[in-house]
Amino acid sequence: MAAIIYTVIKEFFVEIHGYPVKARILSPLNDDKTFTFQVSSHFKNTSGREANVPASTFTSYANAERHLLGYLEAFQNTLDLGGEVAPGNAF
């Protein structure tokens, strides 16, 4: 599988219930039509076994940013309701 080199378009640093979370919106070099996001920590809701790991690709920066902000809000809400940070996550 060929390596893909990404450029960081924007970086967010937030604190959620005392957990520092770094989030990035990225785009592959030489491709202005593909965007993705990644976060340094993931969360587990109380009913699921697996961490909620974002794995989507978007066709516009605005969509990627909207989904990232929605993810961070869901992270906050899940911890508010008793969820937990999934262990061992990093970029």
Side-chain angles (χ1 to χ4, degrees):
M1 182 170 78
I4 299 174
I5 299 174
Y6 288 89
T7 183
V8 176
I9 306 292
K10 190 166 189 179
E11 211 165 40
F12 296 84
F13 295 92
V14 296
E15 186 174 304
I16 300 175
H17 283 273
Y19 294 97
V21 178
K22 181 166 60 172
R24 292 174 173 165
I25 298 176
L26 307 101
S27 180
L29 291 180
N30 306 317
D31 183 354
D32 58 359
K33 296 180 181 162
T34 303
F35 300 88
T36 188
F37 70 82
Q38 62 179 196
V39 294
S40 61
S41 292
H42 303 295
F43 62 92
K44 297 178 84 170
N45 63 35
T46 54
S47 61
R49 291 184 184 178
E50 298 298 321
N52 291 280
V53 180
S56 297
T57 299
F58 304 94
T59 56
S60 77
Y61 172 84
N63 278 342
E65 184 175 47
R66 188 174 78 241
H67 282 82
L68 171 58
L69 295 175
Y71 176 87
L72 294 173
E73 182 178 2
F75 194 131
Q76 173 82 51
N77 291 341
T78 296
L79 295 186
D80 286 345
L81 296 172
E84 61 190 27
V85 173
N89 288 291
F91 283 137

